[in-house]
Amino acid sequence: MIPASVLPAKLEVRPQATASLPLQNRAAALGLGYRWITPEDHAFLTALYRSTREAELDRTPWDEAEKQAFIAMQFEAQHAHYQAHYPDALWLVILHEDEPVGRLYLERWEREHRIIDIALLPKARGQGLGCAIILDLQEEAAALQKSVSIHVEKANPALTLYLRLGFTTQENKGVYDLMRWDLPADQVKTASY
């Protein structure tokens, strides 16, 4: 856990959209739910972010204080970037049996739903929770005749999950790939005139 002394005084949180929470059919069956992030989630969200960077940190010669300072700085930069570039996003904490275990940041655009970020704590990984969330997001998008997209780091272990669920690489962005799931052709509704 990142000490409070390393964190800024308050996490800036854009006012929440009035949009509904994502579909939760499969997720709810596994005890998952969502709630809007609040400034009080700062330490949790920073620790969650760190859990996604541990492999990188293990390769550095830094002491723990340096690692904490780096993570705090990187989390703040990422959070500010997301809040600035995705003004209408849903900023959600993922709950498992009412305990925070992850985050889902989602923006619903006219033609697609963009997963800005999804992350689970290590203890919540490998149990099918992420798969259930993604399948629900695909189902919700399909009902609206939309695609689902996400930027995925090339070394992210979840890449195999996205490929298994039908996502394809649309664009090579260096460290990341832009991946997209499109509605299967047999489900696309055509306009009738």
Side-chain angles (χ1 to χ4, degrees):
M1 187 66 74
I2 307 293
S5 61
V6 176
L7 299 173
K10 184 178 178 188
L11 177 70
E12 293 296 322
V13 177
R14 179 180 295 282
Q16 295 299 334
T18 57
S20 61
L21 293 175
L23 183 71
Q24 298 173 53
N25 292 337
R26 292 168 189 84
L30 296 176
L32 294 174
Y34 303 108
R35 69 167 171 74
W36 303 107
I37 67 169
T38 67
E40 291 73 29
D41 292 314
H42 195 186
F44 165 74
L45 292 170
T46 305
L48 173 65
Y49 176 77
R50 179 174 178 160
S51 77
T52 68
R53 306 284 306 266
E54 282 300 339
E56 294 170 75
L57 291 174
D58 288 345
R59 294 190 298 266
T60 70
W62 301 336
D63 65 25
E64 185 57 27
E66 291 170 314
K67 290 178 181 181
Q68 290 174 348
F70 172 78
I71 288 297
M73 177 190 66
Q74 291 291 298
F75 172 74
E76 289 302 320
Q78 182 192 65
H79 184 78
H81 174 82
Y82 285 167
Q83 295 263 307
H85 289 89
Y86 298 97
D88 299 319
L90 284 72
W91 310 100
L92 305 171
V93 170
I94 301 169
L95 304 170
H96 184 244
E97 307 297 340
D98 295 323
E99 177 188 347
V101 295
R103 69 179 183 181
L104 172 64
Y105 300 164
L106 177 71
E107 181 130 20
R108 294 171 172 136
W109 292 330
E110 184 178 336
R111 299 181 140 211
E112 72 183 68
H113 289 181
R114 171 64 56 87
I115 301 170
I116 303 162
D117 196 282
I118 182 170
L120 294 169
L121 289 172
K123 69 180 182 179
R125 296 176 195 156
Q127 301 175 37
L129 304 180
C131 182
I133 291 168
I134 300 300
L135 286 168
D136 282 345
L137 294 174
Q138 288 174 309
E139 182 180 339
E140 177 183 303
L144 298 168
Q145 298 284 292
K146 295 182 181 184
S147 61
V148 179
S149 64
I150 184 170
H151 285 96
V152 182
E153 285 184 346
K154 293 179 189 297
N156 187 332
L159 181 61
T160 57
L161 171 65
Y162 295 114
L163 292 170
R164 193 174 80 233
L165 295 179
F167 284 77
T168 59
T169 300
Q170 300 298 302
E171 190 176 346
N172 179 337
K173 299 230 175 198
V175 175
Y176 295 91
D177 283 336
L178 174 60
M179 301 189 76
R180 190 174 72 221
W181 172 84
D182 290 309
L183 191 63
D186 65 340
Q187 293 181 29
V188 175
K189 296 176 186 168
T190 56
S192 56
Y193 296 98

